[in-house]
Amino acid sequence: MEKYIIIRSDNKSISKPMNREEAIYTVKKYDKQGISSYIVSEDEGNRIVKDGNFYTPKWE
């Protein structure tokens, strides 16, 4: 089963790996609190932890 990680934009924290439903629930909860957050794959989350670089997606 694929796992996902949440990255919060306010404090750049990275969550523990979670399933799809948990990730969506968590992002919605943060949104209600006015906190932007992003769902990334577990592999991408591990890369971000290793590199320390998270590039905010830009929608054009």
Side-chain angles (χ1 to χ4, degrees), residues 8-51:
R8 291 175 51 154
S9 63
D10 62 338
N11 63 6
K12 305 293 189 224
S13 67
I14 298 176
S15 72
K16 64 173 180 54
M18 58 185 77
N19 66 37
R20 182 177 187 268
E21 291 78 23
E22 288 177 297
I24 291 170
Y25 172 80
T26 303
V27 166
K28 286 180 179 180
K29 184 174 75 172
Y30 289 149
D31 185 57
K32 287 180 183 177
Q33 296 172 12
I35 301 169
S36 296
S37 56
Y38 304 93
I39 299 175
V40 298
S41 69
E42 185 175 15
D43 290 340
E44 180 68 5
N46 291 334
R47 185 205 58 82
I48 292 167
V49 168
K50 183 179 173 186
D51 294 350

